[in-house]
Amino acid sequence: MPLDDSFFSRRQILKGSLAASFIASAATAKAASGVSDSPVAQENSKPGNRDWQLTRVRINSGQYRTSLIEGYCSDQSISTGEKLSIFVSTDPARMFTLDIYRMGYYNGAGARKMASYGPLRGAPQPVPEMGEAPARLRECQWAPSVEFSIPSDWLSGVYLGKLTTIPESKSDPYWQSYVIFIVRDQRPAQILFQCSDNTWQAYNRWPVNESLYTHPDGAHAPDVAVSFDRPYGKYNQIFDHPLSVGSGEFLLWEYPLCYWLEQHGYDVTYGSNRDTVDPAFITRCQNFISVGHDEYWDIAQYHAAEQAIDAGVNYLWLCGNSVFIVSPFEASSRGVPQRIISRAGCYGPLRDDEIQSYASLFAGLTDKAPDERKIIGARSVVPFNGGGDWTCVNPQHWLFANTGMKQGDSIPGLVGWEHHGEPDLERDGLEVLAEGSIWSGGVQEGRYAATIFPGPKGNFVFNAATIFWAQGLSSPPGHILPWSHGSRPSGPDVRVQQMTKNLLDRMRE
């Protein structure tokens, strides 16, 4: 049917009214719930600074690495009062500075500068030899470049350290990269934001090509290992993003949610995958959010999630391909706990058709843990990547309140680049909220399903079924939209914002 001008005018009026409704209702919810007085709201009232972004990045060693300045932290997450060591290498030797920023909203700036160090003396530090097969581990043992205790007034959050070389002359350019760490706490909060840092490290190819996917025996070879004792190289999938150098995948998939939550004053605290092996770390909060690409989980995390759901914690899986690979934590060669992860197997059995159609890809991959549908509602399915539209199939559900979405309405490009499908229809109370097709490589059809099911204490478990969900919430400074399999999300969408608000409002009831 041809579309006339009135269709587009009505569409724009609807979108405009939804945006106004969301802004007004968000302000009302904040006032009613008191989130405007949360520590996060107070923190974000302080002046921000856009200088957190890298402005000069050069990949000069292979495809992923900058040897000009690079570094890593002694801890994935750390509490106030504890000592953080930051290890930096510069080749050639250069003096450098370190500026540390807390990521958030800060009136649109996206971060606040917390500390500056330097000038510091930098020098080349050795690239470790590859360990024996099957682990093929690269584990740095660099000398620390700067050490400090986390100040008591640093609020839980994701922190970026911007490394910058100091030119020796006017003809000598400066170069930059990041280090990244999480400040955690133990306070009760509305929301626990779990970063997917195990998956950041699983895909990290620093220094040459050493991720969990580059083993000669295949992409899912068992017992291959990676260490957090190494810098993050440039991200190697979907797009070329210079701000990924040293920052893992946080800025790509997770930062838009962080920015949006802090913009609206939600009471949020942060943690890493290593923290959520402890049920008490989760159950102090009302709600748990997994965001982006949260594929690699120690089995202790799985059991902690089961316990938290049973205890009444709401779970929001704003992610795709999550809880797919069993990745046990191990101590480093120096005896530091939880600094190495390896691939032990997968959660739940692969179907026969999946093994047959992806025989070489899944060679050696066997189930070593329970079906992830028990804590998510759906699972990773083949084809496991692609792109598609997020299509409403249950418009009467409260999730869609004030969105204007009707049966069959879609949010274009929101599903990708990996997803969840094959919902657990035998689970009591499980409802499918959105479902449809994705196309892997632009041509091979697959299926996704977004779901929700009730917990035992009035709580719920929501599965958005897409890595791209946060792309519909905000577009912070420096953000780049992904493009994969011939498909892309279109950025902030008032319907995604309203659905996320509905979920968070229901959490507070």
Side-chain angles (χ1 to χ4, degrees):
M1 177 184 294
L3 301 177
D4 59 24
D5 291 341
S6 63
F7 171 86
F8 292 101
S9 62
R10 289 194 301 272
R11 183 181 181 90
Q12 294 304 316
I13 290 169
L14 174 61
K15 291 181 72 175
S17 63
L18 283 171
S21 171
F22 172 74
I23 293 169
S25 59
T28 301
K30 285 168 66 176
S33 65
V35 296
S36 59
D37 294 328
S38 72
V40 169
Q42 294 173 28
E43 170 66 27
N44 277 269
S45 69
K46 298 171 182 176
N49 189 317
R50 284 193 180 225
D51 287 344
W52 62 268
Q53 296 178 70
L54 305 181
T55 52
R56 289 190 59 82
V57 178
R58 182 183 173 200
I59 302 302
N60 70 319
S61 180
Q63 300 180 62
Y64 316 109
R65 181 187 173 211
T66 174
S67 67
L68 300 166
I69 186 162
E70 54 189 344
Y72 64 93
C73 297
S74 59
D75 299 83
Q76 298 102 295
S77 67
I78 191 165
S79 297
T80 58
E82 294 181 339
K83 186 177 73 173
L84 181 73
S85 300
I86 298 178
F87 308 87
V88 179
S89 174
T90 61
D91 189 3
R94 286 289 185 273
M95 302 296 288
F96 69 93
T97 59
L98 168 64
D99 298 308
I100 296 179
Y101 298 84
R102 183 187 181 276
M103 309 308 293
Y105 178 66
Y106 298 103
N107 200 32
R112 180 167 82 93
K113 182 182 283 191
M114 308 299 289
S116 293
Y117 298 90
L120 303 165
R121 187 170 301 281
Q125 303 221 46
V127 174
E129 296 294 327
M130 183 186 293
E132 295 181 357
R136 291 165 51 89
L137 187 68
R138 296 265 199 179
E139 183 184 26
C140 294
Q141 297 191 19
W142 292 357
S145 302
V146 60
E147 297 181 304
F148 59 92
S149 294
I150 303 297
S152 61
D153 61 349
W154 282 20
L155 188 67
S156 176
V158 178
Y159 287 69
L160 288 183
K162 185 175 72 172
L163 301 167
T164 305
T165 60
I166 298 174
E168 293 189 339
S169 70
K170 292 183 178 180
S171 299
D172 183 24
Y174 68 87
W175 297 107
Q176 298 174 319
S177 69
Y178 288 127
V179 293
I180 186 168
F181 61 96
I182 299 158
V183 173
R184 64 178 184 265
D185 60 26
Q186 297 294 332
R187 70 179 181 88
Q190 281 186 331
I191 299 166
L192 172 59
F193 183 122
Q194 182 212 256
C195 293
S196 304
D197 54 323
N198 279 6
T199 305
W200 310 348
Q201 197 58 257
Y203 285 83
N204 180 17
R205 296 196 181 193
W206 189 95
V208 181
N209 198 24
E210 282 71 54
S211 76
L212 288 184
Y213 290 87
T214 53
H215 196 286
D217 291 344
H220 286 91
D223 301 320
V224 60
V226 290
S227 171
F228 283 93
D229 288 316
R230 59 179 183 148
Y232 284 109
K234 187 182 72 171
Y235 178 72
N236 59 76
Q237 294 180 292
I238 311 299
F239 48 35
D240 183 353
H241 200 327
L243 294 188
S244 69
V245 179
S247 64
E249 299 180 17
F250 171 75
L251 293 175
L252 311 182
W253 318 125
E254 303 174 31
Y255 182 39
L257 175 62
C258 162
Y259 184 86
W260 186 85
L261 288 172
E262 300 213 355
Q263 176 185 6
H264 295 287
Y266 287 104
D267 183 23
V268 56
T269 186
Y270 296 79
S272 67
N273 285 123
R274 66 175 284 189
D275 298 315
T276 56
V277 300
D278 178 9
F281 190 82
I282 306 168
T283 55
R284 67 195 168 97
C285 298
Q286 297 170 288
N287 316 286
F288 171 97
I289 298 181
S290 167
V291 55
H293 192 192
D294 197 12
E295 180 178 358
Y296 282 77
W297 271 41
D298 187 296
I299 196 167
Q301 291 180 263
Y302 179 95
H303 293 308
E306 282 187 310
Q307 294 179 48
I309 292 169
D310 287 345
V313 177
N314 300 303
Y315 262 61
L316 269 67
W317 301 95
L318 307 184
C319 50
N321 187 222
S322 295
V323 196
F324 179 51
I325 296 295
V326 180
S327 54
F329 282 111
E330 302 171 46
S332 71
S333 61
R334 294 180 175 181
V336 180
Q338 299 175 308
R339 290 296 282 177
I340 294 171
I341 59 171
S342 61
R343 182 188 292 111
C346 63
Y347 285 87
L350 296 168
R351 298 192 313 258
D352 289 342
D353 63 301
E354 292 175 327
I355 296 172
Q356 291 169 9
S357 59
Y358 283 74
S360 60
L361 181 66
F362 290 147
L365 188 65
T366 58
D367 61 300
K368 294 293 180 67
D371 189 333
E372 67 267 38
R373 293 185 300 173
K374 293 181 179 179
I375 60 171
I376 297 177
R379 63 187 284 267
S380 294
V381 289
V382 168
F384 52 87
N385 52 25
D389 300 339
W390 199 88
T391 302
C392 170
V393 297
N394 191 355
Q396 292 77 32
H397 195 275
W398 55 259
L399 176 75
F400 297 104
N402 299 317
T403 65
M405 293 190 74
K406 301 178 178 62
Q407 181 78 23
D409 284 355
S410 297
I411 300 174
L414 187 62
V415 183
W417 91 97
E418 295 181 337
H419 54 277
H420 299 137
E422 195 179 317
D424 184 5
L425 298 178
E426 295 183 1
R427 175 180 284 275
D428 290 342
L430 183 138
E431 297 179 79
V432 177
L433 303 174
E435 63 180 346
S437 296
I438 60 92
W439 285 269
S440 181
V443 293
Q444 183 181 1
E445 188 176 10
R447 300 287 294 178
Y448 73 89
T451 57
I452 194 167
F453 67 84
K457 295 189 176 180
N459 54 321
F460 63 87
V461 176
F462 170 74
N463 151 49
T466 170
I467 289 175
F468 289 167
W469 185 266
Q471 308 297 316
L473 291 176
S474 73
S475 183
H479 190 62
I480 298 175
L481 284 170
W483 175 279
S484 178
H485 295 266
S487 179
R488 65 185 288 271
S490 57
D493 188 293
V494 291
R495 295 164 294 182
V496 179
Q497 293 169 337
Q498 182 66 53
M499 284 187 283
T500 307
K501 178 184 178 298
N502 291 343
L503 291 162
L504 297 175
D505 284 351
R506 182 62 61 115
M507 286 178 169
R508 294 198 297 269
E509 291 181 0

